[in-house]
Amino acid sequence: QVQLVESGGDLVQSGGSLRLSCVVSRSVSSLNAMAWYRRAPGKERELVAELGFGGRSTYADSVQGRFTISRDNAKNVVFLQMNSLQSEDTGVYTCNAQFLRVAYWGHGTLVIVSS
């Protein structure tokens, strides 16, 4: 079992920055992959950023160059640094972990970007 707890969502103006955190109940270095997803109002959930087992990161085209996924192995936390936020980034951001072929999800944190 892996528990995930997100935090850091907030109301921010367009052009601003936020850092989301996902506290993981086990060593993040033991996980196969970690990712951030988001669900915008009226849209399907989409993959925003992923951090693979070897540390390789991938991003959705819409956030490439603005968002950065990282992890702190000592604190078992995964971060999503979001810069140059746009109204299109509004949504519920959810942390995802892959461990032993099972996907685990947090409850999400809400990000609202006002234009």
Short mmCIF file of all heavy atoms in Angstrom, two decimals, residues 57-81:
data_model
loop_
_atom_site.label_atom_id
_atom_site.label_comp_id
_atom_site.label_asym_id
_atom_site.label_seq_id
_atom_site.Cartn_x
_atom_site.Cartn_y
_atom_site.Cartn_z
N SER A 57 12.42 12.51 -16.58
CA SER A 57 11.15 13.22 -16.48
C SER A 57 10.57 13.51 -17.86
O SER A 57 11.32 13.76 -18.81
CB SER A 57 11.32 14.52 -15.71
OG SER A 57 12.30 15.34 -16.32
N THR A 58 9.27 13.44 -17.95
CA THR A 58 8.56 13.78 -19.19
C THR A 58 7.40 14.70 -18.84
O THR A 58 6.87 14.64 -17.72
CB THR A 58 8.04 12.53 -19.91
OG1 THR A 58 7.20 11.79 -19.01
CG2 THR A 58 9.17 11.62 -20.36
N TYR A 59 7.00 15.51 -19.82
CA TYR A 59 5.99 16.52 -19.58
C TYR A 59 4.98 16.58 -20.73
O TYR A 59 5.32 16.28 -21.88
CB TYR A 59 6.63 17.90 -19.43
CG TYR A 59 7.60 17.99 -18.29
CD1 TYR A 59 8.96 17.72 -18.47
CD2 TYR A 59 7.16 18.32 -17.01
CE1 TYR A 59 9.84 17.78 -17.41
CE2 TYR A 59 8.04 18.39 -15.95
CZ TYR A 59 9.38 18.11 -16.15
OH TYR A 59 10.26 18.18 -15.10
N ALA A 60 3.78 17.00 -20.38
CA ALA A 60 2.80 17.30 -21.42
C ALA A 60 3.30 18.51 -22.21
O ALA A 60 3.97 19.40 -21.67
CB ALA A 60 1.45 17.62 -20.79
N ASP A 61 2.98 18.54 -23.49
CA ASP A 61 3.43 19.66 -24.33
C ASP A 61 2.98 21.00 -23.77
O ASP A 61 3.71 22.00 -23.86
CB ASP A 61 2.88 19.48 -25.75
CG ASP A 61 3.54 18.33 -26.49
OD1 ASP A 61 4.62 17.88 -26.05
OD2 ASP A 61 2.97 17.88 -27.50
N SER A 62 1.81 21.03 -23.18
CA SER A 62 1.24 22.29 -22.71
C SER A 62 1.98 22.88 -21.51
O SER A 62 1.82 24.07 -21.22
CB SER A 62 -0.24 22.09 -22.33
OG SER A 62 -0.36 21.11 -21.31
N VAL A 63 2.78 22.07 -20.82
CA VAL A 63 3.50 22.58 -19.64
C VAL A 63 5.01 22.52 -19.80
O VAL A 63 5.74 22.99 -18.91
CB VAL A 63 3.09 21.80 -18.37
CG1 VAL A 63 1.58 21.79 -18.20
CG2 VAL A 63 3.65 20.39 -18.36
N GLN A 64 5.47 21.97 -20.91
CA GLN A 64 6.91 21.85 -21.14
C GLN A 64 7.58 23.22 -21.02
O GLN A 64 7.13 24.20 -21.61
CB GLN A 64 7.16 21.27 -22.54
CG GLN A 64 8.61 21.06 -22.89
CD GLN A 64 9.18 19.84 -22.19
OE1 GLN A 64 8.59 18.79 -22.15
NE2 GLN A 64 10.38 20.02 -21.65
N GLY A 65 8.64 23.27 -20.23
CA GLY A 65 9.37 24.51 -20.06
C GLY A 65 8.83 25.39 -18.94
O GLY A 65 9.49 26.36 -18.54
N ARG A 66 7.65 25.08 -18.43
CA ARG A 66 7.06 25.87 -17.34
C ARG A 66 6.97 25.08 -16.03
O ARG A 66 7.08 25.66 -14.95
CB ARG A 66 5.65 26.34 -17.73
CG ARG A 66 5.61 27.21 -18.96
CD ARG A 66 4.20 27.80 -19.18
NE ARG A 66 3.20 26.76 -19.41
CZ ARG A 66 2.11 26.60 -18.66
NH1 ARG A 66 1.90 27.38 -17.61
NH2 ARG A 66 1.24 25.64 -18.95
N PHE A 67 6.76 23.79 -16.14
CA PHE A 67 6.61 22.94 -14.96
C PHE A 67 7.84 22.05 -14.80
O PHE A 67 8.44 21.62 -15.79
CB PHE A 67 5.37 22.04 -15.10
CG PHE A 67 4.05 22.74 -15.00
CD1 PHE A 67 3.94 24.12 -15.07
CD2 PHE A 67 2.88 21.99 -14.85
CE1 PHE A 67 2.72 24.75 -14.99
CE2 PHE A 67 1.64 22.61 -14.76
CZ PHE A 67 1.56 23.99 -14.83
N THR A 68 8.15 21.73 -13.54
CA THR A 68 9.25 20.83 -13.25
C THR A 68 8.84 19.85 -12.16
O THR A 68 8.39 20.28 -11.09
CB THR A 68 10.50 21.60 -12.79
OG1 THR A 68 10.87 22.55 -13.79
CG2 THR A 68 11.66 20.64 -12.55
N ILE A 69 9.00 18.57 -12.43
CA ILE A 69 8.73 17.54 -11.42
C ILE A 69 10.05 17.12 -10.80
O ILE A 69 11.06 16.99 -11.50
CB ILE A 69 7.99 16.33 -12.03
CG1 ILE A 69 7.57 15.35 -10.94
CG2 ILE A 69 8.82 15.66 -13.12
CD1 ILE A 69 6.65 14.24 -11.44
N SER A 70 10.04 16.95 -9.48
CA SER A 70 11.26 16.56 -8.79
C SER A 70 10.87 15.78 -7.53
O SER A 70 9.69 15.72 -7.17
CB SER A 70 12.10 17.78 -8.43
OG SER A 70 11.39 18.61 -7.53
N ARG A 71 11.85 15.23 -6.88
CA ARG A 71 11.56 14.49 -5.65
C ARG A 71 12.66 14.70 -4.63
O ARG A 71 13.81 14.98 -4.98
CB ARG A 71 11.41 13.00 -5.94
CG ARG A 71 12.69 12.29 -6.33
CD ARG A 71 12.42 10.86 -6.77
NE ARG A 71 13.66 10.13 -6.97
CZ ARG A 71 13.73 8.95 -7.57
NH1 ARG A 71 12.64 8.37 -8.02
NH2 ARG A 71 14.90 8.35 -7.71
N ASP A 72 12.30 14.56 -3.38
CA ASP A 72 13.25 14.61 -2.27
C ASP A 72 13.24 13.22 -1.64
O ASP A 72 12.30 12.86 -0.92
CB ASP A 72 12.81 15.68 -1.27
CG ASP A 72 13.80 15.85 -0.14
OD1 ASP A 72 14.46 14.86 0.25
OD2 ASP A 72 13.90 16.98 0.38
N ASN A 73 14.27 12.45 -1.93
CA ASN A 73 14.30 11.06 -1.44
C ASN A 73 14.35 10.99 0.08
O ASN A 73 13.80 10.08 0.70
CB ASN A 73 15.49 10.32 -2.04
CG ASN A 73 15.33 10.06 -3.52
OD1 ASN A 73 14.22 10.14 -4.06
ND2 ASN A 73 16.43 9.77 -4.19
N ALA A 74 15.01 11.95 0.69
CA ALA A 74 15.17 11.92 2.15
C ALA A 74 13.83 12.16 2.86
O ALA A 74 13.59 11.61 3.93
CB ALA A 74 16.20 12.95 2.58
N LYS A 75 12.99 13.00 2.24
CA LYS A 75 11.71 13.34 2.87
C LYS A 75 10.53 12.60 2.26
O LYS A 75 9.39 12.77 2.70
CB LYS A 75 11.48 14.85 2.78
CG LYS A 75 12.52 15.66 3.53
CD LYS A 75 12.23 17.17 3.42
CE LYS A 75 13.27 17.96 4.20
NZ LYS A 75 13.01 19.43 4.11
N ASN A 76 10.80 11.81 1.23
CA ASN A 76 9.72 11.06 0.55
C ASN A 76 8.63 11.99 0.05
O ASN A 76 7.42 11.79 0.30
CB ASN A 76 9.14 9.98 1.45
CG ASN A 76 10.14 8.89 1.75
OD1 ASN A 76 11.01 8.59 0.93
ND2 ASN A 76 10.06 8.31 2.93
N VAL A 77 9.04 13.01 -0.68
CA VAL A 77 8.13 14.00 -1.22
C VAL A 77 8.41 14.18 -2.71
O VAL A 77 9.57 14.20 -3.12
CB VAL A 77 8.25 15.35 -0.51
CG1 VAL A 77 7.27 16.35 -1.09
CG2 VAL A 77 8.02 15.19 0.98
N VAL A 78 7.36 14.31 -3.47
CA VAL A 78 7.47 14.63 -4.89
C VAL A 78 6.86 16.02 -5.09
O VAL A 78 5.80 16.31 -4.54
CB VAL A 78 6.75 13.60 -5.76
CG1 VAL A 78 6.83 13.98 -7.24
CG2 VAL A 78 7.37 12.22 -5.55
N PHE A 79 7.55 16.84 -5.87
CA PHE A 79 7.12 18.22 -6.07
C PHE A 79 6.71 18.44 -7.53
O PHE A 79 7.18 17.76 -8.44
CB PHE A 79 8.24 19.19 -5.73
CG PHE A 79 8.73 19.09 -4.33
CD1 PHE A 79 9.92 18.43 -4.05
CD2 PHE A 79 8.02 19.66 -3.28
CE1 PHE A 79 10.39 18.33 -2.75
CE2 PHE A 79 8.49 19.57 -1.98
CZ PHE A 79 9.67 18.90 -1.71
N LEU A 80 5.89 19.44 -7.71
CA LEU A 80 5.61 19.96 -9.04
C LEU A 80 5.72 21.48 -8.97
O LEU A 80 4.86 22.14 -8.38
CB LEU A 80 4.22 19.55 -9.54
CG LEU A 80 3.92 19.98 -10.97
CD1 LEU A 80 4.81 19.23 -11.97
CD2 LEU A 80 2.45 19.75 -11.32
N GLN A 81 6.81 21.98 -9.49
CA GLN A 81 7.01 23.43 -9.55
C GLN A 81 6.34 23.95 -10.80
O GLN A 81 6.64 23.48 -11.90
CB GLN A 81 8.50 23.77 -9.57
CG GLN A 81 8.81 25.24 -9.70
CD GLN A 81 8.37 26.04 -8.48
OE1 GLN A 81 8.57 25.60 -7.35
NE2 GLN A 81 7.75 27.19 -8.70
#
